[in-house]
Amino acid sequence: MTRIIALPGDGIGPEIMASARRLLDQIGGFEIDERLVGGASIDDSGSPLTDEVLEACRDADAVLLAAVGGPKWDTTDPNAPRPEQGLLGLRKGLGLYANLRPVRPSPALLDASPLKRDRIEGTDLLVVRELTGGVYFGDRGRRDDSAYDTTVYSTEEIERIAEVGFRFARERVTSVDKANILETSRLWREVVEGVAKKHPDKQLDHLLVDNAAMQLVSRPASFDVILTENMFGDILSDEAAMLTGSIGMLPSASVGEPGTPGLFEPVHGSAPDIAGSGKANPLAMFGSVAMMLRYGLGRQDEAAAVESAVDRALADGLRTADLGGDANLEDATNAVLSNL
Ligand code: IPM
Ligand code: MG
């Protein structure tokens, strides 16, 4: 039995997790233990991630998370617990420094993107986002009437994520930074160039993040791996999601050293506006299950089967509301499961 910790979280999280569990049941062979994280955990214990849940995740073969956050827990009080701290605590606590966000528009959705078909056709890129460093984890606080956040990167942190970028690249790594301004970006560039020398079969180019944001919509098909730091990766991956038609389509994998369980989650958030309505799109969640099978559990064939069931459902016309259709969560789940 493969042991999975399922973390439904908040908003549409529990609904799409229920769909993911139907998918896992149909594949078979999983022992699933559901736990609280995010706002749901704050309501239960005051903490967005308890030590007990973190321990359970450490002992699992993989962790599947739906989404955290919502207006109920939104606050600007620096001392109040926030749902997002649950997610950051998991990433840091499990040492998941590499976040993989593949962007590959399904052929059936080429006309669903707000971008023209001829721009996005052929897009097959991977955002490799550093996940346990940078401004997300630097010192922050308030002093008198000001506030500060700090970005720190060590050579070692940059080296290990750059290795992941080169390992996944077919032919080219585009490293994204803001080296014309930031010292951390200048170190990033130096270190990435050093790592590139160990991969002479792969090309390296550099883009400044503002330029990368533009190129990503003007020539998405020419990217292979986009390698970047935590905050830039957060922003660029939401932008890249629109190439697939909807942010409801993008899965992600967060992985660390071999032997530690990975965390698999959709890139989208908890969508509080549609929570409980049964209208959520489960496809990014299904894509995350596929990534869990492939990168977390080494079950390549099953991963490919899930992905092709999703592609076939879309080819047969499945469109949830975010893709301009009227299929609801249940319709979408049934459509994919019947193709599996
Ligand atoms: C993401 C999300 C998270 C992040 C939030 C929910 C903390 O936006 O996974 O991209 O900023 O990393
Ligand atoms: Mg984000």
Side-chain angles (χ1 to χ4, degrees):
M1 276 288 193
T2 302
R3 285 168 314 131
I4 308 289
I5 296 284
L7 303 171
D10 310 315
I12 59 169
E15 300 161 61
I16 59 174
M17 183 61 83
S19 293
R21 292 192 63 162
R22 283 183 56 197
L23 176 66
L24 289 171
D25 282 347
Q26 187 160 328
I27 296 169
F30 299 98
E31 187 184 300
I32 300 170
D33 184 5
E34 210 165 282
R35 300 298 184 99
L36 297 176
V37 74
S41 178
I42 293 176
D43 287 351
D44 184 65
S45 66
S47 159
L49 173 69
T50 63
D51 291 344
E52 192 202 331
V53 170
L54 180 59
E55 268 321 303
C57 291
R58 275 202 189 104
D59 289 340
D61 294 311
V63 182
L64 187 63
L65 182 142
V68 295
K72 179 173 179 195
W73 306 279
D74 264 345
T75 166
T76 56
D77 174 359
N79 299 314
R82 294 190 60 98
E84 293 79 5
Q85 291 162 344
L87 186 53
L88 299 192
L90 277 168
R91 290 172 178 172
K92 195 71 167 182
L94 298 173
L96 307 173
Y97 61 84
N99 183 225
L100 311 174
R101 299 185 161 183
V103 181
R104 186 181 48 90
S106 181
L109 292 184
L110 287 174
D111 294 310
S113 169
L115 283 135
K116 292 200 184 75
R117 167 188 274 268
D118 64 324
R119 285 290 161 96
I120 52 176
E121 215 154 25
T123 298
D124 184 2
L125 64 86
L126 178 69
V127 178
V128 176
R129 169 186 175 195
E130 199 290 328
L131 204 60
T132 51
V135 75
Y136 274 65
F137 294 95
D139 185 31
R140 78 180 87 250
R142 303 234 177 157
R143 206 168 21 219
D144 305 324
D145 57 353
S146 51
Y148 61 95
D149 298 275
T150 343
T151 304
V152 180
Y153 267 110
S154 69
T155 298
E156 192 211 333
E157 285 175 309
I158 302 168
E159 248 163 24
R160 65 184 183 181
I161 191 69
E163 275 299 338
V164 174
F166 281 96
R167 210 178 323 132
F168 277 95
R170 292 180 299 263
E171 50 192 33
R172 194 174 51 262
V173 170
T174 302
S175 173
V176 172
D177 62 36
K178 188 72 182 171
N180 53 347
I181 304 291
L182 303 177
E183 199 54 41
T184 43
S185 283
R186 291 192 270 265
L187 178 66
W188 180 278
R189 226 174 241 226
E190 270 170 41
V191 174
V192 171
E193 299 219 332
V195 174
K197 293 206 174 76
K198 292 192 255 163
H199 300 270
D201 54 324
K202 313 266 166 86
Q203 285 174 41
L204 169 66
D205 47 42
H206 301 280
L207 280 184
L208 296 172
V209 62
D210 47 348
N211 188 18
M214 180 189 71
Q215 307 283 346
L216 196 53
V217 287
S218 66
R219 53 166 187 96
S222 64
F223 287 98
D224 177 355
V225 160
I226 296 178
L227 168 67
T228 193
E229 59 111 87
N230 206 343
M231 173 89 120
F232 298 158
D234 178 47
I235 298 168
L236 292 178
S237 57
D238 268 33
E239 187 191 6
M242 285 318 286
L243 302 168
T244 67
S246 161
I247 193 157
M249 298 300 297
L250 223 61
S252 84
S254 304
V255 295
E257 294 305 329
T260 46
L263 172 73
F264 304 86
E265 53 169 325
V267 169
H268 64 69
S270 61
D273 52 323
I274 57 162
S277 70
K279 285 191 189 142
N281 176 353
L283 299 184
M285 189 78 214
F286 291 165
S288 303
V289 168
M291 291 194 87
M292 176 175 85
L293 292 164
R294 176 174 297 118
Y295 298 116
L297 304 171
R299 295 162 73 154
Q300 323 290 346
D301 294 351
E302 288 164 346
V306 171
E307 284 163 352
S308 72
V310 168
D311 280 344
R312 245 174 297 141
L314 289 167
D316 291 344
L318 169 68
R319 297 287 183 276
T320 41
D322 54 311
L323 294 170
D326 52 19
N328 62 24
L329 174 68
E330 171 142 29
D331 301 330
T333 306
N334 292 340
V336 173
L337 293 192
S338 68
N339 275 309
L340 191 68

